[in-house]
Each structure stands twice: as structure tokens, then as C-alpha cells.
Amino acid sequence: MVVSDSHIMDTGSLEDIKSRWGILNASSSPLHIRYIKDGSIVLPGLSDSHAHILEYGASRQLSLEGGKTIKDTVALVKRYILENADVQKDRSRVIEGWGWDHTSWPVEQWPHMDDFEKDPIVRGRSIILQSKDGHALWISPHVLNTSLPFPNEVEGGVIVRDEFRNPTGVLLDNAQELIQKPPLTEDDLLKRFAATVKDALANGLTSVHDAGLNPLSLAFFKRQVAAGNMPIRIYGMTFFEENGPYWGNLSKPIIGASNGRFSARSVKIFADGALRSGGAALFEPYHDNPETNGFMRLDPAVLYDVIPRFLSDGWQVNVHAIGDRANSIVLDAFESTLKNVNVTALRPRLEHAQILTEADMARVGKLGVIASIQPTHAISDMWYAEDRLGPERVKGLYAFRSLINHGARLALGSDFPVEDMNPLSGFYSAVTRLSFDGRSPHGTAGWFPDQRLTRQEALRGMTIDAAYASFTDSEVGSLVPGKRADYVVLSQDIMTVPVGQILDTKVFATAIDGRPVFGEI
């Protein structure tokens, strides 16, 4: 591969390159030739099609994923307090953490605000802990008391209450907005951004699709563009606020700012909640909780209203949809809009597309809607999914092969910090449907092994199809002359090594615009 400045000029065998470029010997070469290590491989720069950049940086401050019980999780908060002298001394300091997962605890139950009060170090502090899936908050009594009064109900959300109707300190989906978090300083934001970029480049990521830029995040990234501080490609989805004014005709999409490294040309809309927290909107009640079938986070009429307007105003529309009912409603709205338009020019996306009926899988392919999926969600959820959905409905969950067979284009991501940032974790999950230690509820062949992707399909979802989903497929996503030289050097060929060795792969180097930004060549 011949790279000049930021672009790929030529590819081929070394002999062909030497012939075309008039290289007779090393001393006469107009090129500086570099060799990669034996056994290693060069791939297009990898993309994460659904992630949360500043939230990941925040999650690195106090990670709760090691908490295997409620008591363990509180102990992690205690350790954080004791390891940070400024936090320990200032009892008014708000403590934020990320990653608790009640579905992984021995007894699957919601935590309670009083659990914080059992430890004298933790007691009485302001604590706000985000769940692993981002759809629930667990707060301390002090935070709850300063947030009261709560409404009786929250549309598109739940205030978890005890048998006496008192709040327990857990808030789901839209109810999370009842809690006011402390304002972030510019230094806070810069630290979060730097932490995410450092890890992303070390994992071979050259492009990240940020799935929900709120006004604060969007303004921050605009400032980084103006300051020339854009060390990785970011494709932003601007957050849609149901109760705010329609802004699709008031602001223009940002396309290719900072020399092609920043775009914000799509809108992110939430249709429903999450499966893990029981907020995904289903046609039929949950198998393990027949009293509910989840909920929509907004009225379907809103989707029918704003989707056509955003599309007509030149915005890509990306809708978070988990449950089969939510996905069907979103597809109805897309179908009513896309009849007489150029779908390739609009490239609408279903973010997650987790549970679909067979008929709706066919509609995804027919309509040309992109399915933005996260394979590591499948191996996280497979341990409880059948209990939650039942033996028949669960067959439509994370049905990647069925979507492909119906003609859908898949863009792969991780939803970090919800799951591991490493794109090879997603690659491995997509082609094996096994946990990282080789297990599944269906044995070593994988969970619903007929839904596995091929390695080529998985790689496309992390490269050229991810680029298509962000309108950058003419610039990046494959290693061909004329495209930008975004590439990653891996220690071994993930397309041929035994699947059990995929996760042993190391990133030797990551390059953006022809320049190494991690490692060396």
C-alpha cells in the first residue's frame, strides 16, 4: 500500500508497486518502504457505529462492572471515596459511577437507596450511579431528597416504588431526567474526551459514531473542531428532545468539518427503553413479568410527525428501538416516509434493532434501513433473554443472520461504555455467539448458532458498511487508491486464525490520514 500525505495512492504486490513506481533498488526508491511484522495484517481503520464518547470517559472514573452484588457495588463506591482524598474530605461532593448490572447479581433485584446508608464511609453522600445499559439510575437518599417532589407518573419512564408507593432510589428511562447532575467544567469534558480517544486508538478504532450528542456534548465537540483538537473521526447523532422545539429546519447538518474528522448530520430519537431494565416495548407481555409489555418513550404520533420532517430537511434519522413493537412502529414511520424518496441519500438507521418479527426483518431489507447492531449485547443478554422473552419470541432477538438474509446492511458497534470498547470483542461475538470463555446457554456451538455472521460480514460491519452508515464510504472503510489512509495493523490475521485465538490479537499500530496515532510501523 502506497501512502502519500493522507491518502492511499496505490496497492498491490511489492513487485507490482516497484514496477509501477520505477523502483530498481532501495537506493533509487522514491518511496520510504516500511514492513510489518511476519504474521501481522493491515486492515481498514475500524469503526464503532454506536458508542458514547464522553460517557465512556466518565465511566472510567468510577467503574462498577466488578460489583457482583449490591454489597460489592457499594464497596466499589467506598473504595473510590477512600482512594480520592478530595472526595473523602468533601462530603458534599457528588459521586457518579457507571456500570452496575442487576441482571448479573445472584438475585436479580433492583437495588435500594438505603443500601448506601449501611456503610459509614458512604452514608449521607450524594451518589448517582448509572446502570450498565444506561437506562436506569440508582441514587442515594440525599440525592432523592434534594430532587423531590416527584410526579406520580413519568411518561416513557418509571419511578420504582415500594409497596407503600415510596420511591426506592431507582429511576428508569425518562424518569432519570428528574435528577439534576452537577454541571461539568471544560476540564471535566477534556479529561473524558482524552481518556476515550486514548483507549479507542489503542483498540484500532479510527472512527466512532456518537449515539446521542446532547447540547452540551455537541457544543464541546464544536469547540474541539475550532481548536483543531480532533484526533479521531467522530460521526455525531444530535439528541432529539420530544418536548423541545423542532430544530431540523433551524440548524444545518455539519459535514466533514476539521478536515473530514467531524460530522453531525443525523438525529437520534429514542423509541423505547432497554430489555435489561424491562423498558423495551413488546407486542406481548414479558415472559418473566406478565404485568407489563414495556413502554414507548414517546408517543408514536411523534415519530410519524418528526421523521418525515427531519428527512426532508436533510438529516439522517437514527432511532433507538429495542422491542419488537418499538421496531415495528419505527419501521411503519420509515415506510410511510420512504415511498417516494432516495433511501441511499437518506440512509435511515435502526439503532440496536434487537427484537424483530420475521415480517419486520424483511421490511428492514426491503426499505434499505441500516441495522446498527452491537454483537456483544447478544453474549451479555443470552444468559437471561429466554427467561425474559420466552422460548419462541427469543428467536427474534439479535437475529443477525436473518437480517442479512433479508437483505439488510449491518453496521457494527459496541455501545461503549455499556460493553467492551475493543472492536475485536464485537467481531468475536458476531462470528461465535459465545462468551469470551467459550460458553453459551446452547453449548460451545454458540447461542442460536444459525444466527452467526461470517468473518467477512462482521469485518464489513466494522469497516465499509459502518462507513456507509456515516456517509463516508467514498473516503474510508476500505484500502483502495483515492481513499484516506486510515488503517490498523493487527498482530495476526483475524480472518484465518482459530476463533478461540481472535481475542489474543494485539493492535500494533493505528493510523489516521496516513499518520500513526498509536503504536509504530
Side-chain angles (χ1 to χ4, degrees):
M1 182 170 65
V2 179
V3 176
S4 177
D5 293 327
S6 60
H7 285 73
I8 300 169
M9 305 299 293
D10 200 357
T11 60
S13 69
L14 184 56
E15 291 73 20
D16 288 343
I17 294 291
K18 287 181 176 180
S19 174
R20 285 196 291 270
W21 288 76
I23 300 172
L24 301 178
N25 53 58
S27 62
S28 69
S29 174
L31 306 175
H32 175 63
I33 301 177
R34 299 181 182 182
Y35 297 89
I36 61 174
K37 294 181 180 180
D38 288 345
S40 58
I41 185 175
V42 179
L43 295 177
L46 303 177
S47 294
D48 192 309
S49 294
H50 186 111
H52 304 276
I53 293 172
L54 297 179
E55 290 79 2
Y56 175 90
S59 75
R60 298 305 90 187
Q61 309 303 308
L62 173 53
S63 175
L64 304 172
E65 293 198 31
K68 300 303 181 184
T69 64
I70 292 175
K71 186 176 181 180
D72 283 351
T73 307
V74 174
L76 290 173
V77 177
K78 177 180 180 178
R79 187 176 72 181
Y80 173 79
I81 294 170
L82 295 176
E83 290 177 349
N84 292 270
D86 55 337
V87 178
Q88 187 176 357
K89 292 177 182 178
D90 184 2
R91 295 190 64 85
S92 67
R93 183 84 166 264
V94 177
I95 298 170
E96 296 186 67
W98 186 298
W100 60 271
D101 179 10
H102 71 294
T103 68
S104 69
W105 295 339
V107 177
E108 184 179 328
Q109 62 183 17
W110 293 118
H112 195 283
M113 61 182 176
D114 289 344
D115 294 317
F116 295 117
E117 303 302 287
K118 298 174 182 177
D119 188 284
I121 301 297
V122 180
R123 183 185 304 136
R125 293 179 180 268
S126 298
I127 302 169
I128 304 173
L129 304 183
Q130 187 78 62
S131 64
K132 176 180 172 66
D133 61 10
H135 288 263
L137 284 181
W138 172 19
I139 61 175
S140 64
H142 187 268
V143 172
L144 184 140
N145 290 331
T146 56
S147 303
L148 294 174
F150 284 164
N152 290 328
E153 304 291 339
V154 176
E155 184 177 357
V158 174
I159 302 169
V160 178
R161 302 177 185 270
D162 61 20
E163 64 271 27
F164 303 108
R165 296 292 297 162
N166 295 316
T168 65
V170 173
L171 306 164
L172 309 182
D173 289 298
N174 288 354
Q176 297 176 99
E177 298 171 9
L178 298 172
I179 305 303
Q180 295 297 316
K181 297 182 180 180
L184 294 170
T185 66
E186 189 73 0
D187 186 56
D188 292 331
L189 296 170
L190 286 168
K191 286 179 179 178
R192 294 181 179 190
F193 185 38
T196 304
V197 169
K198 178 182 177 182
D199 288 355
L201 298 177
N203 278 289
L205 291 171
T206 56
S207 176
V208 176
H209 302 187
D210 195 303
L213 298 182
N214 59 31
L216 182 145
S217 300
L218 180 58
F220 170 76
F221 287 126
K222 286 181 177 179
R223 291 195 297 274
Q224 301 318 298
V225 168
N229 180 33
M230 195 54 57
I232 194 169
R233 298 195 195 283
I234 297 176
Y235 183 75
M237 310 178 201
T238 302
F239 184 75
F240 169 71
E241 174 56 58
E242 178 188 2
N243 297 319
Y246 174 75
W247 47 262
N249 59 345
L250 303 176
S251 55
K252 294 182 179 180
I254 301 171
I255 301 175
S258 192
N259 192 28
R261 294 202 180 185
F262 182 74
S263 293
R265 60 180 299 176
S266 62
V267 59
K268 165 76 175 298
I269 302 173
F270 278 91
D272 65 344
L275 181 67
R276 189 179 298 270
S277 55
L282 306 175
F283 281 118
E284 301 297 332
Y286 281 84
H287 189 258
D288 60 353
N289 186 9
E291 296 180 359
T292 180
N293 63 341
F295 51 84
M296 295 291 289
R297 288 183 61 168
L298 46 69
D299 191 312
V302 175
L303 295 172
Y304 290 108
D305 175 39
V306 301
I307 286 179
R309 294 171 71 184
F310 275 114
L311 290 172
S312 65
D313 284 325
W315 294 85
Q316 182 190 45
V317 176
N318 305 341
V319 186
H320 164 113
I322 304 288
D324 51 9
R325 178 169 174 258
N327 277 288
S328 190
I329 290 172
V330 174
L331 287 171
D332 285 345
F334 279 144
E335 188 169 24
S336 66
T337 306
L338 298 174
K339 292 178 180 178
N340 301 307
V341 297
N342 182 351
V343 176
T344 302
L346 300 173
R347 305 185 190 183
R349 295 168 48 160
L350 279 175
E351 300 299 320
H352 306 303
Q354 284 187 8
I355 316 166
L356 292 97
T357 65
E358 192 74 24
D360 280 338
M361 292 181 201
R363 277 207 293 171
V364 172
K366 180 181 178 181
L367 293 173
V369 173
I370 298 164
S372 173
I373 64 168
Q374 300 76 43
T376 43
H377 281 340
I379 67 169
S380 288
D381 294 357
M382 64 184 177
W383 303 106
Y384 70 85
E386 186 167 332
D387 290 341
R388 188 141 298 174
L389 296 174
E392 286 303 314
R393 185 168 44 183
V394 74
K395 296 175 183 177
L397 178 66
Y398 301 113
F400 304 149
R401 165 61 45 208
S402 296
L403 284 166
I404 287 274
N405 289 346
H406 283 298
R409 190 189 297 254
L410 307 184
L412 273 58
S414 68
D415 205 5
F416 70 68
V418 177
E419 302 287 357
D420 183 16
M421 175 190 281
N422 184 359
L424 296 183
S425 296
F427 182 86
Y428 167 88
S429 302
V431 302
T432 68
R433 295 177 72 93
L434 291 168
S435 64
F436 297 148
D437 59 358
R439 298 180 299 119
S440 87
H442 295 164
T444 56
W447 184 59
F448 293 109
D450 56 321
Q451 294 295 341
R452 293 178 300 195
L453 297 181
T454 67
R455 299 195 201 201
Q456 184 179 37
E457 289 165 344
L459 183 61
R460 285 187 61 90
M462 298 160 56
T463 54
I464 190 64
D465 288 343
Y468 177 85
S470 59
F471 299 89
T472 56
D473 47 313
S474 64
E475 290 286 315
V476 296
S478 57
L479 302 178
V480 297
K483 289 195 176 185
R484 291 183 179 270
D486 288 8
Y487 61 91
V488 59
V489 183
L490 301 180
S491 62
Q492 58 180 351
D493 188 350
I494 61 172
M495 308 303 284
T496 59
V497 298
V499 291
Q501 297 177 19
I502 290 173
L503 295 177
D504 296 330
T505 308
K506 308 298 182 187
V507 176
F508 282 164
T510 306
I512 299 179
D513 283 333
R515 296 182 179 274
V517 288
F518 171 80
E520 58 184 20
I521 303 170

